[in-house]
């Protein structure tokens, strides 16, 4: 941990098969960039201290002051959570904002091509596609 460490002063580990974790960053200025491909698979978080305070809120040992003191010590420490917290990560390259604005981002992992191919295939259940397309009327 430390100001010069690319992972910053904190990282948040969770079980996964890809060795991905959430981490702090000394390059906080990058959060203002439109292009966000600066990490190598892990996920930089903008407010790691706030996340740690939230995660440890039910542990009386880890007050915000105690947490800050641990960070300031510069010592590498692991703090397990009393209760596991489910982590669900989504990879979105397009979404709609509450105001209706559609946002698009580069598909850096190439998953959109797989999705496009799957959507282009015929459905795995029987459907009368000519009826669905309005080409013929359904038999009654």
């Amino acid at each position: 941990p430390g100001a010069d460490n690319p992972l910053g002063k904190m990282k948040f580990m969770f079980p996964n098969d890809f060795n991905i974790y959430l981490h702090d960053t000394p390059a906080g200025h990058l959060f203002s960039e439109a292009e966000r491909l600066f990490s190598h698979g892990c996920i930089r978080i903008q407010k790691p201290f706030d996340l740690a305070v939230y995660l440890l809120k039910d542990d009386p040992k880890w007050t915000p002051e105690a947490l800050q003191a641990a960070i300031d010590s510069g010592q590498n420490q692991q703090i397990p959570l009393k209760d596991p917290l489910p982590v669900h990560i989504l990879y979105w390259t397009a979404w709609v904002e509450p105001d209706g604005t559609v946002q698009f981002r580069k598909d850096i992992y190439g998953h959109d091509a797989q999705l496009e191919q799957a959507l282009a295939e015929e459905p795995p259940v029987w459907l009368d596609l000519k009826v669905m397309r309005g080409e013929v009327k359904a038999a009654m």
Side-chain angles (χ1 to χ4, degrees), residues 27 82 92 107 134:
K82 284 183 178 182
W92 290 0
D107 177 23

Side-chain angles (χ1 to χ4, degrees), residues 81-138:
L81 298 179
K82 284 183 178 182
D83 298 311
L85 179 73
V87 176
H88 186 80
I89 297 174
L90 301 175
Y91 174 75
W92 290 0
T93 57
W95 64 92
V96 179
E97 297 288 348
D99 69 0
T101 304
V102 179
Q103 296 283 338
F104 294 98
R105 296 296 183 273
K106 286 183 189 175
D107 177 23
I108 60 172
Y109 297 113
H111 296 319
D112 284 353
Q114 286 179 295
L115 177 60
E116 183 178 6
Q117 181 180 358
L119 292 172
E121 292 177 7
E122 292 292 329
V125 296
W126 181 87
L127 296 173
D128 191 335
L129 296 177
K130 289 184 179 184
V131 171
M132 291 180 68
R133 293 180 186 128
E135 296 169 5
V136 297
K137 293 192 185 236

Side-chain angles (χ1 to χ4, degrees), residues 56-72:
L56 297 169
K57 70 184 182 314
D58 296 327
D59 187 337
K61 176 183 175 188
W62 290 106
T63 64
E65 295 77 20
L67 184 59
Q68 188 61 58
I71 294 167
D72 292 343

